[in-house]
Amino acid sequence: MLDIQKIRADFPILTQKVNGKPLVYFDNGATSQKPQIVIDAEVRYYQEINANIHRGVHTLSQLATDAYEASRGKVKEHINAKFAHEVLFTSGTTHGINLVTNGFASILKPGDEIIVSSLEHHSNIVPWQMLCEKTGATLKVIPMNEDGELILEAFDALLSENTKVVTVNHISNALGIINPIKYIIEKAHAVGAAVLIDGAQAVPHLKPNVQDLDCDFYAFSGHKMCGPTGTGILYGKEAWLNKLPPYQGGGEMIKEVTFEKTTYADLPHKFEAGTPNIAGGIVLGTAIDYLNNIGFENIQQYENELLEYATKQLLEIEGLKIYGTGKNKASVVSFNIDGIHPYDVGSIIDKLGIAVRTGHHCAQPIMNFFCIPGTIRASFSFYNTKEEIDSMVEAVKKAKTMLS
Ligand code: 7TS
C-alpha cells in the first residue's frame, strides 16, 4: 500500500493553487511533475560538479563524467539492456525515433515496407513518412477496432518479406491502450523486420525489459517519468547501433578527424555528438531511483484503482463517452460529452483548477477514426487521488450544465 499523502509531499507543485483552486494535475501523459529530490539533484549538479564531460582531465570534469556514465548504467539496469553502450542519451522520444529513421535512410530502398500502428503519436508517424519519402519505401498501417485495440489478424496479413521495420507504441497516449508488443515483436522478427517500440507512455507506469521483449529499439522520454525535460533514452541492440550511421556529426562522436576522412567513435558516443544535457542525464538516474523506491508494482496497482474509479464515476454522467474501451489499459481516460466541444470543457474545468489535456493529443488519425475533433484526456499518476477524481467529475458536471 502506498502512502499517497507522503508521496504527494515529495511534489512541491501539488500544493499550488491554480485560478484560486487547489491544483488537480491530470495531464501526466503530457509531462509528469517532479519530486523535490529530482529538483534538488539538478541544483546540486550545478552547485557542485558542473563541467563538460568526456574531455577534461580535471577533477570536476571527471566527477561529471562519472555521474553521467553512472546514470547510463542505472538506465541499463532499469530496462535490462545487455550493455550500457546500447543506452543512448537523447533529448526525448522524438529525438530517439528520428535518430533511428535517419539511420534507416541508408538501408531502405523502394519496395521495402514499414508498418506503423493506427494508435501512434505523430512523432512515431511523421519521421517514418519522411523516411518513406527519402527512400521510396511504403508505409502500412495496422488498423484498430472501436475499442481502440489493434487488429492483430490485420497486422499478420500486412507482414511479408518486404517488411523491414515495424513500429508501435507500448501504450497509446491518446487512449491509454496497452499494446500486445511481445506478439508484434515476435511476428515482425519472423519476417526479418526490425522493431522500434515507442515507450514514451509506458515508462511512467512500468519497467520495460528490453531483453525479454527482444525489441531492436525502445525510445522514451525522461520528463514523463519524473525526470527533467530535454532528457530521453534510445535503447538499441548493439548490432543495430553498429549498423546504423551516426545521426549528427560533431565533437565527441569521432575517433579521428582529418580533412580527408573521419572515423567514428565506438558506441554509445557515435550517436552522442556535442555537449549533451549533462545535468538532465544525471538527474534522470535520480528520477529512476525515485520511481523504483516507490515500486512499479505498487504504482500499477494504485493507478489501476484510479483508472477503475474514474471510469466508473465519469460514466455516470449522461452523454459521456469514453474512447479506448479495450481491456488492457494504463491510467488514461479519454472522453467527450455528447454535443459539447472538448476544448470548452477543458477551459471551464481549468478555471476550477483542473489540468487535463484537450484536443487531438498529437494523434490525429485516432480522432479521424472516431470522427471527432479531439477528446478530454485525464491521465493519472501515482500521486493523484480519488478525491481529485471526484473534483474533476464535479467540474465536468458543472461544465456540462453550463454548456448544454
Ligand atoms: N510518443 C508518445 C506515445 C507520446 O505520448 C509522446 C508525447 C511522444 C512520443 C513524444 O514525446 P517527446 O517527449 O519527444 O515530446 N506525448 C504527449 C502527450 O500525450 N501530450 O503531450 C505530449
mmCIF file of all heavy atoms in Angstrom, residues 27 29-31 91-95 97 121 123-124 169 171-174 198 200-201 221 223-224 357 361-362 377, ligand 1:
data_model
loop_
_atom_site.group_PDB
_atom_site.id
_atom_site.type_symbol
_atom_site.label_atom_id
_atom_site.label_comp_id
_atom_site.label_asym_id
_atom_site.label_seq_id
_atom_site.Cartn_x
_atom_site.Cartn_y
_atom_site.Cartn_z
ATOM 1 N N ASP A 27 -2.646 15.918 -16.196
ATOM 2 C CA ASP A 27 -2.045 15.967 -17.535
ATOM 3 C C ASP A 27 -0.692 15.268 -17.512
ATOM 4 O O ASP A 27 0.282 15.714 -18.121
ATOM 5 C CB ASP A 27 -1.902 17.422 -18.000
ATOM 6 C CG ASP A 27 -1.682 17.504 -19.508
ATOM 7 O OD1 ASP A 27 -1.919 16.502 -20.209
ATOM 8 O OD2 ASP A 27 -1.255 18.576 -19.981
ATOM 9 N N GLY A 29 0.147 12.542 -18.865
ATOM 10 C CA GLY A 29 0.539 11.994 -20.163
ATOM 11 C C GLY A 29 1.396 12.980 -20.941
ATOM 12 O O GLY A 29 2.248 12.590 -21.750
ATOM 13 N N ALA A 30 1.162 14.264 -20.718
ATOM 14 C CA ALA A 30 1.961 15.297 -21.409
ATOM 15 C C ALA A 30 3.327 15.425 -20.748
ATOM 16 O O ALA A 30 4.354 15.398 -21.410
ATOM 17 C CB ALA A 30 1.233 16.635 -21.394
ATOM 18 N N THR A 31 3.332 15.592 -19.448
ATOM 19 C CA THR A 31 4.578 15.523 -18.677
ATOM 20 C C THR A 31 4.236 15.291 -17.213
ATOM 21 O O THR A 31 3.183 15.730 -16.745
ATOM 22 C CB THR A 31 5.449 16.798 -18.855
ATOM 23 O OG1 THR A 31 6.782 16.518 -18.413
ATOM 24 C CG2 THR A 31 4.912 17.991 -18.097
ATOM 25 N N SER A 91 17.348 13.718 -26.358
ATOM 26 C CA SER A 91 16.582 14.794 -25.721
ATOM 27 C C SER A 91 15.139 14.361 -25.469
ATOM 28 O O SER A 91 14.349 15.116 -24.922
ATOM 29 C CB SER A 91 16.612 16.051 -26.588
ATOM 30 O OG SER A 91 15.933 15.815 -27.800
ATOM 31 N N GLY A 92 14.782 13.163 -25.923
ATOM 32 C CA GLY A 92 13.424 12.676 -25.693
ATOM 33 C C GLY A 92 13.056 11.631 -26.733
ATOM 34 O O GLY A 92 13.865 11.274 -27.598
ATOM 35 N N THR A 93 11.832 11.158 -26.636
ATOM 36 C CA THR A 93 11.362 10.107 -27.550
ATOM 37 C C THR A 93 11.475 10.538 -29.010
ATOM 38 O O THR A 93 11.931 9.774 -29.858
ATOM 39 C CB THR A 93 9.879 9.785 -27.227
ATOM 40 O OG1 THR A 93 9.775 9.530 -25.829
ATOM 41 C CG2 THR A 93 9.395 8.585 -28.004
ATOM 42 N N THR A 94 11.055 11.767 -29.287
ATOM 43 C CA THR A 94 11.073 12.279 -30.666
ATOM 44 C C THR A 94 12.480 12.197 -31.242
ATOM 45 O O THR A 94 12.673 11.758 -32.376
ATOM 46 C CB THR A 94 10.580 13.744 -30.670
ATOM 47 O OG1 THR A 94 9.306 13.783 -30.028
ATOM 48 C CG2 THR A 94 10.473 14.297 -32.070
ATOM 49 N N HIS A 95 13.458 12.622 -30.475
ATOM 50 C CA HIS A 95 14.850 12.568 -30.884
ATOM 51 C C HIS A 95 15.270 11.126 -31.161
ATOM 52 O O HIS A 95 15.886 10.821 -32.200
ATOM 53 C CB HIS A 95 15.705 13.209 -29.779
ATOM 54 C CG HIS A 95 17.185 13.175 -30.000
ATOM 55 N ND1 HIS A 95 18.075 13.600 -29.057
ATOM 56 C CD2 HIS A 95 17.944 12.744 -31.029
ATOM 57 C CE1 HIS A 95 19.311 13.446 -29.509
ATOM 58 N NE2 HIS A 95 19.257 12.933 -30.700
ATOM 59 N N ILE A 97 13.477 8.494 -31.968
ATOM 60 C CA ILE A 97 12.837 7.930 -33.167
ATOM 61 C C ILE A 97 13.507 8.501 -34.423
ATOM 62 O O ILE A 97 13.808 7.775 -35.375
ATOM 63 C CB ILE A 97 11.314 8.210 -33.162
ATOM 64 C CG1 ILE A 97 10.655 7.461 -31.997
ATOM 65 C CG2 ILE A 97 10.686 7.814 -34.498
ATOM 66 C CD1 ILE A 97 9.211 7.852 -31.721
ATOM 67 N N HIS A 121 1.420 8.249 -31.845
ATOM 68 C CA HIS A 121 1.632 9.695 -31.688
ATOM 69 C C HIS A 121 2.301 10.196 -32.968
ATOM 70 O O HIS A 121 3.015 9.442 -33.634
ATOM 71 C CB HIS A 121 2.578 9.873 -30.489
ATOM 72 C CG HIS A 121 2.843 11.280 -30.077
ATOM 73 N ND1 HIS A 121 3.742 12.083 -30.731
ATOM 74 C CD2 HIS A 121 2.351 12.031 -29.058
ATOM 75 C CE1 HIS A 121 3.806 13.249 -30.131
ATOM 76 N NE2 HIS A 121 2.962 13.255 -29.113
ATOM 77 N N SER A 123 4.803 11.749 -33.488
ATOM 78 C CA SER A 123 6.263 11.611 -33.531
ATOM 79 C C SER A 123 6.691 10.191 -33.886
ATOM 80 O O SER A 123 7.868 9.962 -34.165
ATOM 81 C CB SER A 123 6.912 12.078 -32.234
ATOM 82 O OG SER A 123 6.561 11.221 -31.208
ATOM 83 N N ASN A 124 5.750 9.257 -33.916
ATOM 84 C CA ASN A 124 6.084 7.920 -34.431
ATOM 85 C C ASN A 124 5.351 7.645 -35.746
ATOM 86 O O ASN A 124 5.181 6.489 -36.127
ATOM 87 C CB ASN A 124 5.782 6.827 -33.396
ATOM 88 C CG ASN A 124 6.599 5.562 -33.665
ATOM 89 O OD1 ASN A 124 7.720 5.639 -34.180
ATOM 90 N ND2 ASN A 124 6.033 4.411 -33.343
ATOM 91 N N ASN A 169 3.581 1.929 -30.461
ATOM 92 C CA ASN A 169 3.835 2.380 -29.096
ATOM 93 C C ASN A 169 3.484 1.268 -28.106
ATOM 94 O O ASN A 169 2.661 0.398 -28.393
ATOM 95 C CB ASN A 169 3.148 3.715 -28.774
ATOM 96 C CG ASN A 169 1.662 3.724 -29.021
ATOM 97 O OD1 ASN A 169 0.993 2.731 -28.744
ATOM 98 N ND2 ASN A 169 1.134 4.829 -29.515
ATOM 99 N N ILE A 171 2.278 1.933 -25.071
ATOM 100 C CA ILE A 171 0.979 2.387 -24.553
ATOM 101 C C ILE A 171 0.565 3.617 -25.359
ATOM 102 O O ILE A 171 1.371 4.527 -25.578
ATOM 103 C CB ILE A 171 1.067 2.734 -23.053
ATOM 104 C CG1 ILE A 171 1.427 1.483 -22.243
ATOM 105 C CG2 ILE A 171 -0.242 3.350 -22.565
ATOM 106 C CD1 ILE A 171 1.515 1.700 -20.736
ATOM 107 N N SER A 172 -0.692 3.638 -25.789
ATOM 108 C CA SER A 172 -1.193 4.768 -26.578
ATOM 109 C C SER A 172 -1.389 5.994 -25.690
ATOM 110 O O SER A 172 -2.013 5.896 -24.633
ATOM 111 C CB SER A 172 -2.528 4.376 -27.217
ATOM 112 O OG SER A 172 -3.359 5.504 -27.358
ATOM 113 N N ASN A 173 -0.873 7.134 -26.144
ATOM 114 C CA ASN A 173 -1.016 8.348 -25.329
ATOM 115 C C ASN A 173 -2.437 8.880 -25.341
ATOM 116 O O ASN A 173 -2.906 9.441 -24.360
ATOM 117 C CB ASN A 173 -0.051 9.451 -25.789
ATOM 118 C CG ASN A 173 -0.427 10.028 -27.130
ATOM 119 O OD1 ASN A 173 -0.680 9.305 -28.075
ATOM 120 N ND2 ASN A 173 -0.474 11.346 -27.221
ATOM 121 N N ALA A 174 -3.144 8.693 -26.461
ATOM 122 C CA ALA A 174 -4.471 9.300 -26.584
ATOM 123 C C ALA A 174 -5.541 8.463 -25.895
ATOM 124 O O ALA A 174 -6.517 9.003 -25.378
ATOM 125 C CB ALA A 174 -4.816 9.489 -28.055
ATOM 126 N N ASP A 198 7.872 2.590 -29.181
ATOM 127 C CA ASP A 198 7.790 3.925 -28.596
ATOM 128 C C ASP A 198 7.259 3.749 -27.169
ATOM 129 O O ASP A 198 6.065 3.502 -26.971
ATOM 130 C CB ASP A 198 6.857 4.776 -29.461
ATOM 131 C CG ASP A 198 6.514 6.103 -28.808
ATOM 132 O OD1 ASP A 198 6.886 6.324 -27.634
ATOM 133 O OD2 ASP A 198 5.860 6.933 -29.468
ATOM 134 N N ALA A 200 7.227 5.994 -24.746
ATOM 135 C CA ALA A 200 7.032 7.277 -24.050
ATOM 136 C C ALA A 200 5.990 7.203 -22.943
ATOM 137 O O ALA A 200 6.195 7.722 -21.840
ATOM 138 C CB ALA A 200 6.652 8.368 -25.059
ATOM 139 N N GLN A 201 4.874 6.534 -23.235
ATOM 140 C CA GLN A 201 3.789 6.494 -22.242
ATOM 141 C C GLN A 201 3.870 5.284 -21.324
ATOM 142 O O GLN A 201 3.092 5.170 -20.395
ATOM 143 C CB GLN A 201 2.422 6.499 -22.944
ATOM 144 C CG GLN A 201 2.109 7.782 -23.683
ATOM 145 C CD GLN A 201 1.921 8.979 -22.760
ATOM 146 O OE1 GLN A 201 1.587 8.822 -21.574
ATOM 147 N NE2 GLN A 201 2.132 10.176 -23.274
ATOM 148 N N SER A 221 11.052 9.129 -23.032
ATOM 149 C CA SER A 221 11.386 10.481 -22.564
ATOM 150 C C SER A 221 11.548 10.473 -21.057
ATOM 151 O O SER A 221 10.761 9.823 -20.353
ATOM 152 C CB SER A 221 10.260 11.461 -22.910
ATOM 153 O OG SER A 221 10.029 11.471 -24.302
ATOM 154 N N HIS A 223 11.098 13.177 -19.143
ATOM 155 C CA HIS A 223 10.187 14.125 -18.481
ATOM 156 C C HIS A 223 8.829 13.534 -18.137
ATOM 157 O O HIS A 223 8.088 14.106 -17.340
ATOM 158 C CB HIS A 223 10.021 15.393 -19.329
ATOM 159 C CG HIS A 223 9.250 15.186 -20.596
ATOM 160 N ND1 HIS A 223 7.893 15.369 -20.652
ATOM 161 C CD2 HIS A 223 9.630 14.806 -21.842
ATOM 162 C CE1 HIS A 223 7.481 15.131 -21.893
ATOM 163 N NE2 HIS A 223 8.521 14.778 -22.637
ATOM 164 N N LYS A 224 8.493 12.393 -18.736
ATOM 165 C CA LYS A 224 7.206 11.764 -18.411
ATOM 166 C C LYS A 224 7.337 10.816 -17.221
ATOM 167 O O LYS A 224 6.364 10.224 -16.778
ATOM 168 C CB LYS A 224 6.673 10.999 -19.629
ATOM 169 C CG LYS A 224 6.269 11.925 -20.790
ATOM 170 C CD LYS A 224 5.594 11.160 -21.888
ATOM 171 C CE LYS A 224 5.590 11.857 -23.218
ATOM 172 N NZ LYS A 224 4.663 12.975 -23.322
ATOM 173 N N ARG A 357 -5.702 17.482 -20.597
ATOM 174 C CA ARG A 357 -5.376 17.913 -21.954
ATOM 175 C C ARG A 357 -6.607 17.735 -22.830
ATOM 176 O O ARG A 357 -7.322 16.735 -22.709
ATOM 177 C CB ARG A 357 -4.210 17.099 -22.520
ATOM 178 C CG ARG A 357 -3.830 17.610 -23.915
ATOM 179 C CD ARG A 357 -2.493 17.139 -24.420
ATOM 180 N NE ARG A 357 -2.333 17.612 -25.803
ATOM 181 C CZ ARG A 357 -1.419 17.163 -26.649
ATOM 182 N NH1 ARG A 357 -0.569 16.236 -26.273
ATOM 183 N NH2 ARG A 357 -1.345 17.640 -27.868
ATOM 184 N N HIS A 361 -4.264 15.363 -29.121
ATOM 185 C CA HIS A 361 -3.169 14.692 -28.414
ATOM 186 C C HIS A 361 -2.066 14.223 -29.358
ATOM 187 O O HIS A 361 -1.439 13.179 -29.129
ATOM 188 C CB HIS A 361 -3.704 13.504 -27.576
ATOM 189 C CG HIS A 361 -4.954 13.820 -26.823
ATOM 190 N ND1 HIS A 361 -4.994 14.789 -25.853
ATOM 191 C CD2 HIS A 361 -6.216 13.336 -26.929
ATOM 192 C CE1 HIS A 361 -6.223 14.872 -25.383
ATOM 193 N NE2 HIS A 361 -6.979 14.015 -26.023
ATOM 194 N N CYS A 362 -1.844 14.989 -30.434
ATOM 195 C CA CYS A 362 -0.825 14.601 -31.439
ATOM 196 C C CYS A 362 -1.086 13.202 -31.962
ATOM 197 O O CYS A 362 -0.140 12.429 -32.209
ATOM 198 C CB CYS A 362 0.591 14.692 -30.883
ATOM 199 S SG CYS A 362 1.030 16.324 -30.345
ATOM 200 N N ARG A 377 -8.707 14.495 -22.090
ATOM 201 C CA ARG A 377 -7.901 13.358 -21.599
ATOM 202 C C ARG A 377 -7.424 13.621 -20.180
ATOM 203 O O ARG A 377 -6.715 14.594 -19.919
ATOM 204 C CB ARG A 377 -6.695 13.134 -22.499
ATOM 205 C CG ARG A 377 -5.849 11.942 -22.042
ATOM 206 C CD ARG A 377 -4.540 11.845 -22.797
ATOM 207 N NE ARG A 377 -3.631 12.928 -22.441
ATOM 208 C CZ ARG A 377 -2.389 13.060 -22.919
ATOM 209 N NH1 ARG A 377 -1.940 12.196 -23.802
ATOM 210 N NH2 ARG A 377 -1.622 14.066 -22.537
HETATM 211 N N1 7TS B 1 5.275 9.054 -28.250
HETATM 212 C C1 7TS B 1 4.227 9.040 -27.425
HETATM 213 C C2 7TS B 1 3.414 7.796 -27.283
HETATM 214 C C3 7TS B 1 3.934 10.185 -26.690
HETATM 215 O O1 7TS B 1 2.898 10.169 -25.861
HETATM 216 C C4 7TS B 1 4.732 11.353 -26.838
HETATM 217 C C5 7TS B 1 4.406 12.623 -26.120
HETATM 218 C C6 7TS B 1 5.831 11.287 -27.691
HETATM 219 C C7 7TS B 1 6.065 10.120 -28.390
HETATM 220 C C8 7TS B 1 6.776 12.425 -27.850
HETATM 221 O O2 7TS B 1 7.497 12.594 -26.699
HETATM 222 P P1 7TS B 1 8.525 13.830 -26.532
HETATM 223 O O3 7TS B 1 8.952 13.760 -25.120
HETATM 224 O O4 7TS B 1 9.617 13.583 -27.504
HETATM 225 O O5 7TS B 1 7.730 15.045 -26.862
HETATM 226 N N2 7TS B 1 3.067 12.715 -25.739
HETATM 227 C C9 7TS B 1 2.436 13.816 -25.317
HETATM 228 C C10 7TS B 1 1.111 13.796 -24.907
HETATM 229 O O6 7TS B 1 0.389 12.817 -24.897
HETATM 230 N N3 7TS B 1 0.744 15.043 -24.517
HETATM 231 O O7 7TS B 1 1.806 15.852 -24.666
HETATM 232 C C11 7TS B 1 2.862 15.096 -25.150
#
